[in-house]
Amino acid sequence: EVATSAYQTPASLRSMLRAVTDDMVNVFVGIVALAAVFAFRSIPQAKRYFDAAIQNGQGLVRMEYADNFDGGEKLAQLEIARKAFEQAIETNPTFATSYYKLGHVYNQLASLQPELSDGFIEKAVATYERLNEVNPHYSEVHLNLAIMYWEQSRRTANDADSLKLTEHAYSEITEAARQ
């Protein structure tokens, strides 16, 4: 019986190195392919995020600009801001800042248009609640929800409904304080 030697011939060593090199090339090609897939998937997503950020920025500028006016011009600037924030949310439904600012715009519109305030307060509440779903750790949302629920409770004639809204307000303010 012939004993096998631990010594490898140069031909077998070359064969082993070629196999290792081929494996390394295959791994490298796989990594490059994965990076290409990620890049092609990420580029459109990055563009959507960028577009939403531009729209959000336009809304912020209009909100700031509205502070310089009263009456009709202030309403017009807030409407432009509202549309910009809504567009940013449509473009990127996870853009938390746009929800927060949109709720704030609804709140301002409610205070400027008393005859429409109930509808704007409901929209502000719905917007803040959606923000809470998108990002439950956005601490300012709880304070603003508490304010909106309290405002709704003050406007509600039904005592039972008013009590429920006051309890919601208390729950949200407690959560704001906890965070």
Side-chain angles (χ1 to χ4, degrees):
E1 188 173 320
V2 177
T4 57
S5 167
Y7 175 77
Q8 296 182 351
T9 63
S12 65
L13 184 58
R14 271 184 262 149
S15 170
M16 190 171 86
L17 285 173
R18 190 172 299 122
V20 168
T21 303
D22 289 345
D23 286 345
M24 288 175 60
V25 167
N26 289 337
V27 168
F28 179 74
V29 168
I31 290 171
V32 168
L34 187 60
V37 167
F38 181 74
F40 284 118
R41 184 182 147 288
S42 295
I43 290 171
Q45 184 178 16
K47 183 178 179 338
R48 280 193 312 276
Y49 285 8
F50 179 78
D51 290 345
I54 295 296
Q55 294 154 351
N56 185 74
Q58 291 169 344
L60 292 172
V61 166
R62 292 304 179 153
M63 279 182 77
E64 186 73 26
Y65 196 58
D67 287 339
N68 296 314
F69 297 100
D70 291 322
E73 185 60 28
K74 184 174 188 111
L75 285 172
Q77 294 302 318
L78 289 172
E79 277 299 318
I80 294 169
R82 180 190 59 79
K83 290 175 185 172
F85 292 130
E86 287 173 348
Q87 194 172 17
I89 290 168
E90 185 178 320
T91 303
N92 178 3
T94 64
F95 205 142
T97 303
S98 291
Y99 287 100
Y100 181 73
K101 292 300 185 178
L102 178 59
H104 188 67
V105 166
Y106 285 138
N107 187 17
Q108 286 185 306
L109 289 170
S111 69
L112 292 170
Q113 298 176 309
E115 70 281 2
L116 302 174
S117 64
D118 288 345
F120 284 125
I121 290 172
E122 288 176 17
K123 287 181 178 184
V125 168
T127 301
Y128 290 137
E129 286 176 345
R130 180 66 184 125
L131 169 56
N132 199 29
E133 292 170 12
V134 169
N135 187 345
H137 302 294
Y138 201 98
S139 63
E140 292 88 357
V141 73
H142 299 289
L143 175 60
N144 287 17
L145 270 172
I147 293 167
M148 293 292 97
Y149 285 139
W150 174 251
E151 191 59 37
Q152 283 183 320
S153 77
R154 289 182 341 105
R155 295 166 181 261
T156 302
N158 181 310
D159 287 344
D161 289 343
S162 181
L163 180 60
K164 271 186 185 174
L165 289 165
T166 301
E167 288 171 350
H168 280 318
Y170 178 77
S171 173
E172 291 298 333
I173 200 71
T174 302
E175 182 62 20
R178 186 188 71 75
Q179 287 189 6

